[in-house]
Amino acid sequence: MEAKLTQLKALLGEVMDLSHTAAVLEWDQQTYMPPDGAEDRGNQMATIEKIQHVKFTSEEVGKLLEDLRPWVSQLDPDSDDARLVIKTQREYDKQTKVPADMVAEFAQITSAAFSAWQVARAESNFAKFRPHLEKVVDWKRRYAALFTPYDHVYDPLLDDFEPGMKTAEVKAIFEALRPQQVALIKAISERPQVDDSFLHQPFDEKKQWDFGVEVATQLGYNWKRGRQDKAPHPFTTTFGIDDVRITTRFMPDFFSSAFFSTTHETGHALYEMGIDRQLSRTPLADGASLGVHESQSRLWENLVGRSRPFWEGFYPRLKEYFPSQLGKVSLDAFYKGINKVEPNLIRVESDEATYNLHIMLRLEIEIGLMEGSMVVKDLPEIWKTRMQEYLGLTPPDDARGVLQDIHWSNGYLGYFSTYALGNLISAQLWERINADIPDLSDQIRRGEFSALLGWLRQKIHRHGAKFEPQELVQRVTGSKIDPAPYIRYLNAKYGEIYGL
Amino acid sequence: MEAKLTQLKALLGEVMDLSHTAAVLEWDQQTYMPPDGAEDRGNQMATIEKIQHVKFTSEEVGKLLEDLRPWVSQLDPDSDDARLVIKTQREYDKQTKVPADMVAEFAQITSAAFSAWQVARAESNFAKFRPHLEKVVDWKRRYAALFTPYDHVYDPLLDDFEPGMKTAEVKAIFEALRPQQVALIKAISERPQVDDSFLHQPFDEKKQWDFGVEVATQLGYNWKRGRQDKAPHPFTTTFGIDDVRITTRFMPDFFSSAFFSTTHETGHALYEMGIDRQLSRTPLADGASLGVHESQSRLWENLVGRSRPFWEGFYPRLKEYFPSQLGKVSLDAFYKGINKVEPNLIRVESDEATYNLHIMLRLEIEIGLMEGSMVVKDLPEIWKTRMQEYLGLTPPDDARGVLQDIHWSNGYLGYFSTYALGNLISAQLWERINADIPDLSDQIRRGEFSALLGWLRQKIHRHGAKFEPQELVQRVTGSKIDPAPYIRYLNAKYGEIYGL
């Protein structure tokens, strides 16, 4: 049995090598690839992904899993080997359920949908995207049907990003969250607005870069095992536990963009860098889910990076970088400025307090489309109505409304809620961390992050993808994903800033 | 049959995608990879190369080739399809002849040999490398034996880099060349040396970069289809016809290093960028051989970039970049300085006139080892004796002697002569080009390279690997590879510079 396990690990190692190789191709495409290289790169990506799929869904893997099952059931259920076989079996069952021609069809649908979306958004013309989105939804409904019986038709989609999570759970969480977030935003809107004009000045790119690197280093990012490059849309990517790279982008006239992008991506990277080496080159060398991943990025970006103690420590240093821009701005004014709440039509430009409402709108639409209670042609109107209801805004056109995000054109239905779940988990962990490290604020004020990072490594990072997200959160905090800590966090923080 | 050809092309397309993907992994390793990423990268490279080998040597490819053979024999023998099948068959026969366990053994031998060579060179201790080199030679002799009958035991090694080339041909060429090069160097050594001290001053890296980019652009390098990055050992790499990248390195106190590296790599890149798009994603989308490839890099580096007309055009511009360093240096002094001939112990630091002698020494040793007329343990002594004979120098240690090059530790026996063949071919082409474009010198003086590049594209580049090197040179120049033009070129150029 040991030999069969070794054989399985060797096969999975090659699958992981292919996955990491695809990540290198993608990273290069987003950072350095010359413009005309796209066609060749498309061929390379398609070939690598095809080989990876064929290798992972091979009969050889299936047979090894089958042989190992009885043996695994006698192991400690929390052991790496038991979890590896269980996780692999789960993924194998999912991937082998989808016929090859359906996989190929999906690639064609989304390739055309992406091109159509680019044109539709540029022209703010939903009609050009509509037939493609209809095809995506139709495919996703056929995809979901492969996984009957399910509790909810949206479950199989959600499961692709949040393993084990059910639509009913997410709905319950969001229904508890929505009225409270709407009420908070309303209360804020009735108070005098904070000033953040000093953030909108020229900030030298090189200095922005250096300050970001200095902070990432202090947070614990290891430059021998990673690097930062520029990319149009910042992301973190993993080529192995010892090569986890981040990217950022710079706005010459706005401080927050690059800095909070760097802290966000550093949070993702610290997760990947902290996975137990024993799990290297296995499917367990990954985050538990996109939501848990996002909890790490949001924790470092918001709960650390947008906190008062953090800037009590770092603001004097930042002023050394930008004396003419910030010399006369008080710490209190700076802290309020970087936490300004202002409803925004665009999700990716939204603040902590309003962001989740963007997600809820998208989740409602995705569930509606899958259930059949909504149809694609009505989306522009639904979007406008709900944006007004949640944020008090009405998009002047579909480019700044239903067409703003790339995800659906790529076939990513089931993905959006992970962003909001990440926010919730981050606050839930934060309460636990502060209970375990009572002087955390003082440590952060002093620029000491090793106890915090150590806690996250111990409780979250090292486990990789051994546990499903709800199980992991339950183990660490004592309860499943719960919106209450996030609400408490928002109310306390913004109550103080806006004097509610 | 058309369907079978399409099927073969689809398979070869995937093999090429894997090859280009491996090139991306390698490029990243040499340019941007963080130090600790090496182990993960090693796994990825091994997996991609293994899959590529398995796919190319599959029975499916063999069967398609067999089925296509009779059909191909009725095609125009110069057609792309005929050449594709012939070239693929040739490579397939070679690769399938080597048993899988011998391939694996070679990987182990060279991996250990490379580590041992690094230590041996650092300590200048040949004894530490000797047993590993003996294993490499032993493996290569067993490898050659797989290809019996051959004319010469070295032929199978040479064929890996110069398809179709025979040891007897290379020996005849080099035997004609050696006495003439030795005589030239002797004559130069008896003349007053030229001054190149002005090249050894501080040259700002950013300005070196900008001037190099300006020249590469003017030579015809297309930045939409490539880019330049820094790497410790400059190289050119191809991810597809539309993504051909160059690298360079900078010495802060020496002008020639980065500049001539950039023109050299630009020459390689122009070749790859000029391959007919019809050959894309096939094994014909490659250089004809390493020697022909080197002829292109040397042509742009030396026959263009170290020529008087070139600097008659570019020297005023270079002075604008470096007025304090070169303001008082005349064009004539500059031209002579960049062409200074001085025997050097180190191959990669050698000039045009002495370089080939380094190659001849290595070729004699490689042939001797394969024939059995030399043994590994005698190499340090042989090296010293022949260096004295050819260049009048005796290495003070083996690090600057027999241990200086990486190639043998990587198992590259059969490779070195391609460097010298490239020099010879470049001069042979140059005579033909000047006959076809009588005012070429004037064009170069004016910074016009389009006629030259057009000629090379038409005669060499577009064909990719359709023709074997001797056939290609014969088609273009009317004779096989011939050392006479190179000797004429050296004698004329250095006769003028040194007043012989």
Side-chain angles (χ1 to χ4, degrees), chain A residues 14 17 44 47 50 239, chain B residues 14 17 44 47 50 239 245:
Chain A
E14 292 188 353
D17 290 337
Q44 293 150 18
T47 292
K50 180 182 145 188
F239 308 155
Chain B
E14 292 188 354
D17 290 336
Q44 293 149 20
T47 292
K50 180 181 145 187
F239 308 154
R245 305 190 189 182

Side-chain angles (χ1 to χ4, degrees), chain A residues 37-101:
Chain A
E39 188 180 330
D40 292 317
R41 186 54 48 88
N43 288 325
Q44 293 150 18
M45 293 289 295
T47 292
I48 297 296
E49 282 165 9
K50 180 182 145 188
I51 293 169
Q52 184 189 344
H53 181 76
V54 168
K55 201 174 259 295
F56 182 69
T57 57
S58 67
E59 283 179 24
E60 196 180 357
V61 170
K63 185 71 173 54
L64 286 167
L65 288 169
E66 198 181 312
D67 293 349
L68 284 163
R69 207 174 308 152
W71 176 71
V72 158
S73 65
Q74 298 155 14
L75 296 179
D76 171 4
D78 282 356
S79 67
D80 291 353
D81 288 344
R83 291 284 174 164
L84 174 66
V85 173
I86 289 162
K87 169 97 181 167
T88 304
Q89 180 79 58
R90 191 177 194 285
E91 196 52 40
Y92 181 84
D93 290 343
K94 285 188 76 168
Q95 289 200 25
T96 50
K97 233 170 210 159
V98 190
D101 56 354

Side-chain angles (χ1 to χ4, degrees), chain B residues 200-335:
Chain B
H200 297 271
Q201 299 182 71
F203 288 89
D204 178 69
E205 180 177 319
K206 172 75 168 60
K207 288 185 185 175
Q208 287 195 57
W209 177 281
D210 288 346
F211 181 68
V213 165
E214 186 176 322
V215 170
T217 307
Q218 205 147 339
L219 299 182
Y221 187 84
N222 181 344
W223 300 96
K224 285 177 70 183
R225 299 168 55 204
R227 50 178 292 118
Q228 180 176 258
D229 298 273
K230 289 200 280 180
H233 303 281
F235 63 96
T236 299
T237 185
T238 296
F239 308 154
I241 288 174
D242 287 317
D243 192 349
V244 182
R245 305 190 189 182
I246 59 176
T247 57
T248 192
R249 67 173 158 192
F250 292 91
M251 293 195 183
D253 295 315
F254 183 39
F255 169 75
S256 298
S257 178
F259 180 74
F260 291 109
S261 153
T262 293
T263 52
H264 181 98
E265 302 307 334
T266 297
H268 281 303
L270 291 174
Y271 190 1
E272 298 274 333
M273 284 176 164
I275 294 171
D276 188 340
R277 280 173 195 286
Q278 294 297 321
L279 307 179
S280 190
R281 281 182 90 223
T282 77
L284 298 184
D286 197 359
S289 72
L290 290 192
V292 175
H293 231 303
E294 197 71 5
S295 78
Q296 299 305 296
S297 56
R298 294 291 186 173
L299 186 148
W300 290 97
E301 176 194 356
N302 289 333
L303 291 129
V304 174
R306 289 189 211 263
S307 74
R308 198 182 277 274
F310 179 87
W311 290 107
E312 285 169 354
F314 275 104
Y315 193 52
R317 185 78 184 118
L318 179 62
K319 281 182 157 183
E320 291 174 19
Y321 277 93
F322 300 109
S324 70
Q325 292 92 334
L326 300 174
K328 291 182 180 147
V329 179
S330 73
L331 170 66
D332 189 62
F334 180 81
Y335 169 69

